[in-house]
Amino acid sequence: MYIATMVYEFKADCFADGVRAWEEEVFLEAKGREGLQRMELCTHEPKMFAIGHWRSPEDAQAFMATGVFARLTQRIEAMLTHRPEPDMWQDSLLFEAE
C-alpha cells in the first residue's frame, strides 16, 4: 500500500471553508478512483490532515495528475498560513480491529 498525506493549516476564521473546499474539490473527485483504497480527512482546528491510501504510487500520481490539488490550492491559498507540501509513505505495519 502507498500512502499520500498533506497537512493544511488555516488562518483564523477560514477553517470551516477550507474543510468544505477539500470535501468538494478532493473527496468527491476521489470517490471511485482506480487504485484508491481509503481516503480520510482528520481535523484539529486550525489544521487538517489528509490521508489517501492507494494500491500503488502510480495510482496516486494519476489522481494528482488530474489537477485536483492545483484547483484546491488555488481555491484555498488565501486561507492558509503557508503552502502545504505533500508527503509519501509506505505501509510498514498495520493493525485493524475486526
Side-chain angles (χ1 to χ4, degrees):
M1 186 183 316
Y2 178 78
I3 302 164
T5 65
M6 185 91 75
V7 176
Y8 303 84
E9 186 168 347
F10 292 93
K11 297 175 184 174
D13 300 324
C14 294
F15 181 74
D17 290 336
V19 171
R20 185 173 28 263
W22 192 89
E23 180 181 8
E24 293 170 0
E25 297 289 342
V26 180
F27 191 73
L28 296 176
E29 178 78 20
K31 286 186 175 184
R33 270 317 269 204
E34 178 71 26
L36 180 63
Q37 297 178 324
R38 178 180 176 152
M39 184 166 279
E40 58 190 301
L41 184 67
C42 305
T43 59
H44 184 254
E45 193 170 344
K47 294 181 182 181
M48 65 183 192
F49 181 50
I51 309 165
H53 299 255
W54 298 88
R55 183 181 52 218
S56 70
E58 293 78 20
D59 291 325
Q61 291 165 355
F63 181 60
M64 291 178 192
T66 67
V68 65
F69 289 103
R71 290 189 301 276
L72 174 67
T73 300
Q74 183 177 22
R75 182 171 169 184
I76 68 172
E77 193 167 32
M79 300 179 202
L80 298 170
T81 60
H82 59 278
R83 189 173 182 94
E85 293 293 326
D87 210 350
M88 298 5 155
W89 304 82
Q90 291 292 326
D91 194 17
S92 296
L93 296 172
L94 176 66
F95 170 79
E96 290 189 54
E98 294 181 33

